[in-house]
């Protein structure tokens, strides 16, 4: 519902807001304005829901929730988009980062844009089943604080509606690329591994960095992810972290069942590097950028050298199952090239 959230691609803020307002005035939707609860955990986003009158009106034209796919189509994948590179202001507790201007003719910006243009052109030729894809955009962050250097954030994000990145892990198992079943090649403990490398700190000697206590691995991972994304330690489980865990985990993980301070204590003992995280000069934007470079380079090399489509899901690549070994080799080579480390990789359905 914010003008700055619109991409300028196909649907404008004005057109969308007019539609939402018109349906509301016509009595065809139930509308709830979003609110932020600063003291509790009752925050919720603005909601506009079809009511019985709208469903009945649509049914009169043969349109029902069950046959929506017969009436509405997804846009075909785009070989190019107007803004392959986006720079945003810093995100704060009360405000999302918004787009800002930067020199698109700078050599770095041109190089990154050409890279994204190539990936979009390549993916426009691929065929996805049980998922949709429109285009990728590379999004950088903290331009108003760290300058327009395009070296904070930098992940590839799918745009244009529902994407693989937003799908639950269970649903991604059914995805086919060019008719072939797929798996995900995941970089295990990506950001914390990169943090050890950048600080020249030896990694703890265990096969799984997150497996060190009676707490489930997913709980430890949630604590580390929340901490690295915040720049300090929270006083309790953040609302967003709790909601994400419930939505994305197979068993609807409820983090609030686990004492936050007990998880924190166990983690800081098992991963000593994190003890000084609030004072560390390396921030989440640095970790994300250093991760994005070898991941995007892997996508490009797999396409150009091997003609293997690899769909980036931040710290993993969704790839045809028959190409896993090649993908693993390329990813390890690119991480070695950019970071001087050989990451531990995990194969997930």
């Amino acid at each position: 519902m914010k003008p700055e959230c619109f991409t300028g691609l196909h649907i404008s803020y004005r057109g969308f807001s007019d539609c939402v307002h018109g349906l509301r005035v016509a009595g065809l939707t139930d509308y709830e304005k979003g609110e932020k609860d600063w003291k509790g955990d009752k925050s919720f986003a603005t909601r506009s829901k079809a009511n019985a009158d709208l469903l009945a009106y649509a049914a009169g034209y043969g349109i029902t929730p069950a046959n929506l796919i017969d009436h509405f189509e997804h846009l075909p994948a785009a070989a190019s988009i107007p803004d392959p590179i986006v720079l945003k202001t810093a995100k704060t507790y009360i405000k999302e980062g918004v787009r800002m201007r930067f020199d698109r003719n700078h050599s770095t910006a041109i190089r990154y844009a050409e890279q994204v243009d190539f990936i979009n052109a390549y993916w426009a030729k691929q065929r996805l089943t049980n998922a949709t894809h429109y285009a990728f955009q590379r999004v950088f962050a903290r331009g108003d604080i760290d300058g327009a250097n395009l070296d904070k954030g930098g992940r590839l994000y799918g745009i244009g509606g529902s994407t693989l990145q937003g799908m639950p892990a269970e649903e991604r198992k059914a995805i086919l690329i060019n008719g072939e079943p797929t798996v995900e090649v995941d970089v295990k403990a990506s950001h914390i591994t990169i943090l050890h490398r950048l600080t020249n700190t030896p990694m703890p000697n265990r096969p799984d960095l997150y497996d060190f206590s009676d707490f489930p691995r997913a709980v430890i991972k949630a604590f580390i992810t929340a901490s690295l994304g915040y720049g300090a330690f929270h006083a309790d489980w953040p609302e967003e972290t709790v909601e994400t865990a419930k939505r994305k985990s197979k068993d609807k993980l409820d983090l609030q069942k686990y004492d936050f301070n007990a998880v924190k204590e166990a983690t800081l003992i098992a991963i000593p590097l994190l003890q000084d995280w609030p004072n560390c000069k390396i921030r989440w934007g640095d970790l994300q950028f250093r991760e994005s470079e070898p991941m995007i380079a892997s996508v490009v090399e797999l396409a150009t050298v091997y003609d293997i489509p690899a769909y980036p899901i931040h710290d993993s690549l969704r790839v045809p199952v028959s190409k896993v070994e090649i993908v693993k080799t390329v990813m390890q080579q690119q991480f070695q090239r950019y970071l001087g480390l050989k990451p531990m990789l995990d194969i997930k359905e």
Side-chain angles (χ1 to χ4, degrees):
M1 299 303 296
K2 299 177 181 178
E4 62 267 23
C5 292
F6 284 74
T7 62
L9 290 177
H10 303 284
I11 299 175
S12 68
Y13 167 75
R14 181 69 176 271
F16 178 77
S17 59
D18 284 353
C19 180
V20 171
H21 179 71
L23 288 168
R24 180 184 175 189
V25 171
L28 298 176
T29 58
D30 297 325
Y31 179 88
E32 289 183 273
K33 184 175 176 58
E35 292 184 2
K36 184 69 179 179
D37 183 355
W38 299 105
K39 297 181 179 179
D41 59 356
K42 298 180 182 179
S43 303
F44 62 88
T46 296
R47 301 167 187 182
S48 186
K49 302 178 181 179
N51 60 24
D53 290 339
L54 177 55
L55 293 176
Y57 182 79
Y61 291 88
I63 303 173
T64 68
N67 66 16
L68 279 178
I69 195 170
D70 297 329
H71 299 274
F72 296 90
E73 295 182 352
H74 287 281
L75 290 168
S80 65
I81 57 175
D83 297 315
I85 302 297
V86 169
L87 177 63
K88 291 187 174 183
T89 59
K91 177 182 178 180
T92 68
Y93 186 67
I94 61 174
K95 185 178 181 181
E96 293 289 331
V98 297
R99 289 190 180 201
M100 57 180 291
R101 295 179 182 276
F102 64 98
D103 183 5
R104 297 184 180 276
N105 294 317
H106 189 279
S107 58
T108 300
I110 291 174
R111 177 164 57 89
Y112 288 158
E114 289 176 346
Q115 200 175 42
V116 178
D117 285 341
F118 168 79
I119 294 172
N120 280 331
Y122 181 78
W123 267 97
K125 301 174 184 177
Q126 312 307 315
R127 179 167 55 89
L128 275 175
T129 305
N130 299 323
T132 61
H133 168 73
Y134 175 68
F136 292 110
Q137 214 168 38
R138 193 171 184 188
V139 181
F140 295 89
R142 297 178 60 86
D144 57 329
I145 295 177
D146 297 313
N149 299 317
L150 303 181
D151 61 356
K152 299 293 186 292
R155 281 177 167 175
L156 283 176
Y157 289 90
I159 61 172
S162 58
T163 69
L164 273 71
Q165 294 168 344
M167 292 176 64
E170 282 297 303
E171 293 182 15
R172 292 203 297 265
K173 292 180 180 180
I175 292 171
L176 306 180
I177 296 179
N178 297 329
E180 182 176 348
T182 60
V183 293
E184 282 174 33
V185 184
D186 176 72
V187 180
K188 296 182 69 171
S190 176
H191 279 187
I192 193 67
T193 299
I194 293 172
L195 182 61
H196 277 83
R197 178 67 185 91
L198 296 181
T199 57
N200 294 314
T201 304
M203 291 276 289
N205 186 22
R206 52 179 175 271
D208 187 343
L209 191 65
Y210 296 157
D211 186 11
F212 54 75
S213 73
D214 293 333
F215 294 113
R217 184 184 189 279
V219 174
I220 300 298
K221 181 178 179 180
F223 169 79
I224 293 176
T225 300
S227 299
L228 293 183
Y230 182 53
F233 297 120
H234 295 275
D236 203 344
W237 292 113
E239 176 186 340
E240 183 178 356
T241 302
V242 172
E243 293 177 353
T244 299
K246 286 182 179 179
R247 185 178 74 254
K248 290 190 173 183
S249 61
K250 182 178 180 181
D251 55 355
K252 306 297 181 183
L253 176 66
D254 185 1
L255 290 175
Q256 293 178 324
K257 292 182 179 180
Y258 301 91
D259 183 83
F260 181 83
N261 288 323
V263 174
K264 175 183 175 182
E265 181 180 3
T267 303
L268 297 189
I269 292 173
I271 308 178
L273 174 63
L274 284 177
Q275 294 174 12
D276 195 46
W277 172 243
N279 302 314
C280 184
K281 293 182 179 180
I282 300 169
R283 300 287 83 187
W284 72 266
D286 303 302
L287 297 173
Q288 197 175 100
F289 175 74
R290 298 301 290 269
E291 172 198 82
S292 72
E293 289 284 82
M295 292 298 291
I296 294 173
S298 295
V299 172
V300 172
E301 181 178 346
L302 288 167
T304 56
V305 179
Y306 302 97
D307 194 19
I308 296 175
Y311 196 102
I313 308 178
H314 305 323
D315 59 357
S316 68
L317 298 178
R318 189 94 202 169
V319 300
V321 66
S322 66
K323 310 299 183 183
V324 166
E325 292 306 315
I326 297 175
V327 172
K328 288 169 59 178
T329 298
V330 169
M331 289 176 68
Q332 288 175 337
Q333 289 174 344
Q334 292 296 345
F335 269 84
Q336 184 67 43
R337 172 189 170 194
Y338 280 91
L339 289 164
L341 66 84
K342 187 177 181 180
M344 297 180 64
L345 302 177
D346 191 22
I347 310 302
K348 300 178 180 179
E349 292 186 10

